[in-house]
Amino acid sequence: MLEIAICDDSVIVSSDIESKLQRLAKKFAIDIEIDIFYDGNALVKHICNGNRYDLIYLDIEMQGKNGVDAAREIRVFDKKALIIYVTNYESFAKEAFEVSAFRFITKPINVNKFEKYFIDAKEEIIKNPRYFRYQYNKIPYRVPIDEIMYFQSDKRITYIITNHDSRKCYGKINDIEKKLLEVNILFYRVHQSFLVNPKYVAEYYYNTMVLIDGTTITVSENSLEVVQTVQQILSETFFNDRFL
C-alpha cells in the first residue's frame, strides 16, 4: 500500500494527477490511497496532526502557502516522504535541494515521464522502506521503522515497542525478522522472543544490553555471535559514511 498526497490549487490538475495514479496503480497492481489538498496550509496541518505519506505530489506556485514553504514545514515533521514537485517552472533547484525533492514534473504533465517518476518512487520506497506495516483485528496499520525500539513475541501476539507507545500485531517474530532482512534492515535477534533496533541500544555487556529508556534485555548464548556480527557491520557502515 502506497499512501499518496496530491496538493495543487487547481482542481483540474489535481484530478488529472489522481486519474493518472489510479491508472498506474491498476496497470502495475499496486494498492494506493490518495488524499487531495487544494492549498499548502491544509496539507501541512494534516501532516502536523500526525498523518504521513509515502509520496507527495506538490504544486510549487499556489495561493496562500506555496509548495516551497509547505515542503520546508513538512520536513520539520516528516523527513522521509518522497516529494515530487509539480510546476510550470524549472527555476527552483536550490529550494528543491533544501527539502530533498525526489523529482520535478513540469506542466502540462508528460504521461511517460509521470509514469517513470512514479515507478522510480515506488522502487525507492520498496528498496528503503520507511514503515513497518502490520494488521491487528483485521485493521492495517503502519509505524515508522526508526521509531521501533524492539519487537517482543508472546505466543500468537507480537508487541511492537516504540519510543512513545506499545502496539500489538499478529505474526511470528521469525516472520518479522525475515521480512526486515529481505529489505536489508538489521535488528538484533537477541533472544527467541526479542528483535531489537540497534539505534536504541545505549550500553552493551557480555550477555545483556541496555536500551536508552533503561530497559535491560538478556542476550541468549545462541545470539551472542549474531549480535557481535551486526555490531561489526554497523561500525563499518558508520566509518564508511563518516570518513570515505
Side-chain angles (χ1 to χ4, degrees), residues 78-121:
D78 185 355
K79 294 180 172 57
K80 303 169 184 176
L82 300 184
I83 295 174
I84 294 181
Y85 272 134
V86 183
T87 177
N88 288 311
Y89 306 97
E90 296 181 344
S91 57
F92 292 90
K94 179 181 177 182
E95 290 82 355
F97 177 78
E98 289 176 357
V99 297
S100 301
F102 183 69
R103 295 288 189 274
F104 272 93
I105 294 178
T106 54
K107 302 175 185 179
I109 297 173
N110 179 280
V111 175
N112 293 330
K113 186 172 288 187
F114 187 91
E115 178 173 325
K116 181 182 185 306
Y117 289 174
F118 174 75
I119 296 303
D120 288 347

Coordinates of all heavy atoms in Angstrom, one line a residue, residues 78-121:
D78 N 8.3 15.4 8.9 CA 8.5 14.2 8.1 C 9.6 14.4 7.1 O 9.5 15.1 6.1 CB 7.2 13.8 7.4 CG 7.3 12.5 6.7 OD1 8.4 11.9 6.7 OD2 6.3 12.1 6.1
K79 N 10.7 13.8 7.4 CA 11.9 13.9 6.5 C 11.9 12.7 5.5 O 12.9 12.6 4.8 CB 13.2 13.9 7.4 CG 13.3 15.2 8.2 CD 14.6 15.2 9.0 CE 14.8 16.5 9.7 NZ 13.7 16.9 10.6
K80 N 10.9 11.8 5.6 CA 11.0 10.6 4.8 C 10.2 10.6 3.6 O 10.5 9.9 2.6 CB 10.6 9.4 5.7 CG 11.4 9.3 7.0 CD 10.8 8.3 7.9 CE 11.5 8.3 9.3 NZ 10.8 7.4 10.2
A81 N 9.1 11.3 3.6 CA 8.2 11.2 2.4 C 8.9 11.7 1.1 O 9.7 12.7 1.2 CB 6.9 12.1 2.7
L82 N 8.6 11.0 0.0 CA 9.2 11.5 -1.2 C 8.3 12.6 -1.8 O 7.1 12.5 -1.9 CB 9.2 10.3 -2.2 CG 10.1 9.1 -1.8 CD1 10.1 8.1 -3.0 CD2 11.5 9.5 -1.5
I83 N 9.0 13.7 -2.2 CA 8.2 14.8 -2.7 C 8.5 15.0 -4.2 O 9.7 15.1 -4.6 CB 8.6 16.1 -2.0 CG1 8.2 16.1 -0.5 CG2 8.0 17.4 -2.7 CD1 8.6 17.3 0.3
I84 N 7.5 15.0 -5.0 CA 7.6 15.3 -6.4 C 7.0 16.6 -6.7 O 5.8 16.8 -6.5 CB 7.0 14.2 -7.3 CG1 7.7 12.9 -7.1 CG2 7.0 14.6 -8.8 CD1 7.1 11.7 -8.0
Y85 N 7.8 17.6 -7.0 CA 7.2 18.9 -7.3 C 6.5 18.9 -8.7 O 7.0 18.3 -9.7 CB 8.3 20.0 -7.4 CG 8.7 20.6 -6.0 CD1 10.0 20.7 -5.6 CD2 7.6 21.1 -5.2 CE1 10.3 21.3 -4.4 CE2 7.9 21.7 -4.0 CZ 9.2 21.8 -3.6 OH 9.5 22.4 -2.4
V86 N 5.4 19.6 -8.7 CA 4.7 19.8 -10.0 C 4.6 21.3 -10.2 O 4.1 22.0 -9.4 CB 3.2 19.2 -9.9 CG1 2.5 19.4 -11.2 CG2 3.2 17.8 -9.5
T87 N 5.2 21.7 -11.4 CA 5.4 23.2 -11.5 C 5.3 23.6 -13.0 O 5.5 22.8 -13.9 CB 6.7 23.6 -10.9 OG1 7.0 25.0 -11.1 CG2 7.9 22.8 -11.5
N88 N 5.1 24.9 -13.2 CA 5.2 25.5 -14.5 C 6.6 25.9 -14.8 O 6.9 26.3 -16.0 CB 4.2 26.7 -14.6 CG 2.8 26.3 -14.7 OD1 2.4 25.4 -15.4 ND2 2.0 26.9 -13.8
Y89 N 7.5 25.9 -13.8 CA 8.8 26.4 -14.0 C 9.8 25.4 -13.5 O 9.6 24.5 -12.8 CB 9.0 27.7 -13.2 CG 7.9 28.7 -13.5 CD1 6.8 28.9 -12.7 CD2 8.0 29.6 -14.6 CE1 5.8 29.8 -13.0 CE2 7.0 30.5 -14.9 CZ 5.9 30.6 -14.1 OH 5.0 31.5 -14.4
E90 N 11.1 25.6 -13.9 CA 12.2 24.7 -13.5 C 13.3 25.5 -12.8 O 14.4 25.1 -12.7 CB 12.8 24.1 -14.8 CG 11.8 23.1 -15.5 CD 12.4 22.5 -16.7 OE1 13.5 22.9 -17.1 OE2 11.8 21.5 -17.2
S91 N 12.9 26.6 -12.2 CA 13.9 27.5 -11.6 C 13.9 27.4 -10.1 O 14.1 28.4 -9.4 CB 13.7 29.0 -12.0 OG 12.4 29.4 -11.7
F92 N 13.6 26.2 -9.5 CA 13.6 26.1 -8.1 C 14.6 25.1 -7.6 O 14.3 24.4 -6.6 CB 12.2 25.7 -7.6 CG 11.1 26.7 -7.9 CD1 10.4 26.8 -9.1 CD2 10.8 27.7 -6.9 CE1 9.5 27.8 -9.3 CE2 9.9 28.6 -7.1 CZ 9.2 28.7 -8.3
A93 N 15.7 25.0 -8.2 CA 16.7 23.9 -7.9 C 17.2 24.1 -6.5 O 17.3 23.1 -5.7 CB 17.9 24.0 -8.9
K94 N 17.5 25.3 -6.0 CA 18.0 25.5 -4.7 C 17.0 25.1 -3.7 O 17.3 24.4 -2.7 CB 18.4 26.9 -4.5 CG 19.0 27.2 -3.1 CD 19.3 28.7 -3.0 CE 19.8 29.0 -1.5 NZ 20.1 30.4 -1.3
E95 N 15.8 25.5 -3.8 CA 14.7 25.2 -2.9 C 14.4 23.7 -2.9 O 14.2 23.1 -1.8 CB 13.4 26.0 -3.2 CG 13.5 27.5 -3.0 CD 14.2 28.2 -4.1 OE1 14.7 27.6 -5.1 OE2 14.2 29.5 -4.1
A96 N 14.5 23.1 -4.0 CA 14.3 21.6 -4.1 C 15.3 20.9 -3.3 O 15.1 19.9 -2.7 CB 14.2 21.2 -5.5
F97 N 16.6 21.4 -3.5 CA 17.7 20.7 -2.7 C 17.5 20.8 -1.2 O 17.7 19.9 -0.5 CB 19.0 21.4 -3.2 CG 20.2 20.8 -2.4 CD1 20.8 19.6 -2.8 CD2 20.7 21.5 -1.4 CE1 21.9 19.1 -2.1 CE2 21.8 21.0 -0.7 CZ 22.4 19.8 -1.1
E98 N 17.0 22.0 -0.8 CA 16.8 22.2 0.7 C 15.8 21.2 1.3 O 16.0 20.8 2.4 CB 16.3 23.6 0.9 CG 17.4 24.7 0.6 CD 16.8 26.1 0.8 OE1 15.6 26.2 1.1 OE2 17.6 27.1 0.7
V99 N 14.8 20.8 0.5 CA 13.8 19.9 1.1 C 13.9 18.5 0.5 O 13.0 17.7 0.7 CB 12.4 20.5 0.8 CG1 12.2 21.8 1.5 CG2 12.1 20.6 -0.7
S100 N 15.0 18.2 -0.1 CA 15.3 16.9 -0.7 C 14.2 16.4 -1.6 O 13.6 15.3 -1.4 CB 15.5 15.9 0.5 OG 16.6 16.2 1.3
A101 N 13.8 17.2 -2.5 CA 12.8 16.8 -3.5 C 13.2 15.7 -4.3 O 14.4 15.5 -4.7 CB 12.4 18.0 -4.4
F102 N 12.3 14.7 -4.6 CA 12.7 13.5 -5.3 C 12.7 13.7 -6.8 O 13.7 13.3 -7.5 CB 11.7 12.4 -5.0 CG 12.0 11.1 -5.6 CD1 13.1 10.3 -5.2 CD2 11.2 10.5 -6.6 CE1 13.4 9.1 -5.7 CE2 11.5 9.3 -7.1 CZ 12.6 8.6 -6.7
R103 N 11.8 14.4 -7.4 CA 11.7 14.7 -8.8 C 10.9 16.0 -9.1 O 10.2 16.5 -8.2 CB 11.0 13.5 -9.6 CG 11.7 12.2 -9.5 CD 12.9 12.2 -10.4 NE 13.5 10.8 -10.5 CZ 14.3 10.3 -9.6 NH1 14.8 11.0 -8.6 NH2 14.8 9.0 -9.8
F104 N 11.1 16.5 -10.3 CA 10.3 17.6 -10.8 C 9.4 17.1 -12.0 O 9.9 16.3 -12.8 CB 11.2 18.7 -11.4 CG 11.6 19.7 -10.4 CD1 12.8 19.5 -9.7 CD2 10.9 20.8 -10.1 CE1 13.3 20.5 -8.8 CE2 11.3 21.8 -9.2 CZ 12.5 21.6 -8.6
I105 N 8.2 17.6 -12.0 CA 7.3 17.3 -13.2 C 6.8 18.7 -13.6 O 6.3 19.5 -12.8 CB 6.1 16.4 -12.9 CG1 6.6 15.0 -12.6 CG2 5.2 16.4 -14.1 CD1 5.5 14.1 -12.2
T106 N 7.0 19.1 -14.9 CA 6.5 20.3 -15.4 C 5.1 20.2 -16.0 O 4.8 19.1 -16.6 CB 7.5 21.0 -16.4 OG1 7.7 20.0 -17.4 CG2 8.8 21.3 -15.7
K107 N 4.4 21.2 -15.9 CA 3.0 21.3 -16.6 C 3.2 21.8 -18.0 O 4.0 22.7 -18.2 CB 2.1 22.2 -15.7 CG 1.9 21.7 -14.3 CD 1.0 22.7 -13.6 CE 0.9 22.4 -12.1 NZ 0.1 23.4 -11.3
P108 N 2.4 21.3 -18.9 CA 1.5 20.2 -18.8 C 2.2 18.9 -18.6 O 3.3 18.7 -19.1 CB 0.8 20.2 -20.2 CG 1.7 20.9 -21.1 CD 2.4 21.9 -20.3
I109 N 1.6 18.0 -17.9 CA 2.3 16.8 -17.4 C 2.5 15.8 -18.6 O 1.5 15.4 -19.3 CB 1.5 16.1 -16.3 CG1 1.5 17.1 -15.1 CG2 2.2 14.8 -15.9 CD1 0.6 16.6 -13.9
N110 N 3.7 15.4 -18.8 CA 4.0 14.4 -19.8 C 3.7 13.0 -19.2 O 4.2 12.6 -18.1 CB 5.5 14.4 -20.2 CG 5.9 13.4 -21.2 OD1 6.2 12.2 -20.8 ND2 6.0 13.8 -22.4
V111 N 2.9 12.2 -19.9 CA 2.4 10.9 -19.4 C 3.5 10.0 -19.2 O 3.6 9.3 -18.1 CB 1.4 10.3 -20.4 CG1 1.0 8.9 -19.9 CG2 0.1 11.2 -20.5
N112 N 4.5 9.9 -20.1 CA 5.6 8.9 -20.0 C 6.5 9.3 -18.8 O 6.9 8.4 -18.1 CB 6.4 8.8 -21.3 CG 5.6 8.2 -22.4 OD1 4.7 7.4 -22.2 ND2 5.8 8.7 -23.6
K113 N 6.8 10.6 -18.7 CA 7.6 11.0 -17.6 C 6.9 10.8 -16.2 O 7.5 10.4 -15.2 CB 8.0 12.5 -17.7 CG 9.0 13.0 -16.7 CD 9.5 14.4 -17.0 CE 10.4 14.3 -18.2 NZ 11.1 15.7 -18.5
F114 N 5.6 11.0 -16.2 CA 4.9 10.8 -15.0 C 4.9 9.3 -14.5 O 5.2 9.0 -13.4 CB 3.4 11.2 -15.2 CG 2.6 11.2 -13.9 CD1 2.4 12.3 -13.1 CD2 1.9 10.0 -13.5 CE1 1.7 12.3 -12.0 CE2 1.2 10.0 -12.4 CZ 1.0 11.1 -11.6
E115 N 4.8 8.4 -15.5 CA 4.8 7.0 -15.2 C 6.2 6.6 -14.7 O 6.4 5.9 -13.7 CB 4.5 6.2 -16.4 CG 4.6 4.7 -16.2 CD 4.0 3.9 -17.3 OE1 3.1 4.3 -18.0 OE2 4.6 2.8 -17.6
K116 N 7.3 7.1 -15.4 CA 8.6 6.8 -15.0 C 8.9 7.3 -13.6 O 9.5 6.5 -12.8 CB 9.6 7.4 -15.9 CG 11.1 7.1 -15.6 CD 12.1 7.8 -16.5 CE 13.5 7.4 -16.2 NZ 13.9 7.6 -14.8
Y117 N 8.5 8.5 -13.2 CA 8.8 9.0 -11.9 C 8.0 8.3 -10.8 O 8.5 8.1 -9.7 CB 8.5 10.5 -11.8 CG 9.5 11.4 -12.6 CD1 9.2 12.7 -12.8 CD2 10.6 10.8 -13.2 CE1 10.2 13.5 -13.5 CE2 11.5 11.6 -13.9 CZ 11.3 13.0 -14.0 OH 12.1 13.7 -14.7
F118 N 6.8 7.8 -11.2 CA 6.0 7.1 -10.2 C 6.7 5.7 -9.9 O 6.8 5.3 -8.8 CB 4.6 6.8 -10.8 CG 3.8 5.9 -9.9 CD1 3.2 6.4 -8.7 CD2 3.5 4.6 -10.3 CE1 2.5 5.5 -7.9 CE2 2.8 3.7 -9.5 CZ 2.2 4.2 -8.3
I119 N 7.2 5.0 -11.0 CA 7.9 3.8 -10.8 C 9.2 4.0 -10.0 O 9.5 3.2 -9.1 CB 8.1 3.1 -12.2 CG1 6.8 2.7 -12.8 CG2 9.0 1.9 -12.0 CD1 5.9 1.9 -12.0
D120 N 9.9 5.1 -10.3 CA 11.1 5.4 -9.6 C 10.8 5.5 -8.1 O 11.5 5.0 -7.2 CB 11.7 6.7 -10.1 CG 12.4 6.5 -11.5 OD1 12.6 5.4 -11.9 OD2 12.7 7.6 -12.1
A121 N 9.7 6.2 -7.8 CA 9.3 6.5 -6.4 C 8.9 5.1 -5.7 O 9.3 4.9 -4.6 CB 8.2 7.5 -6.3

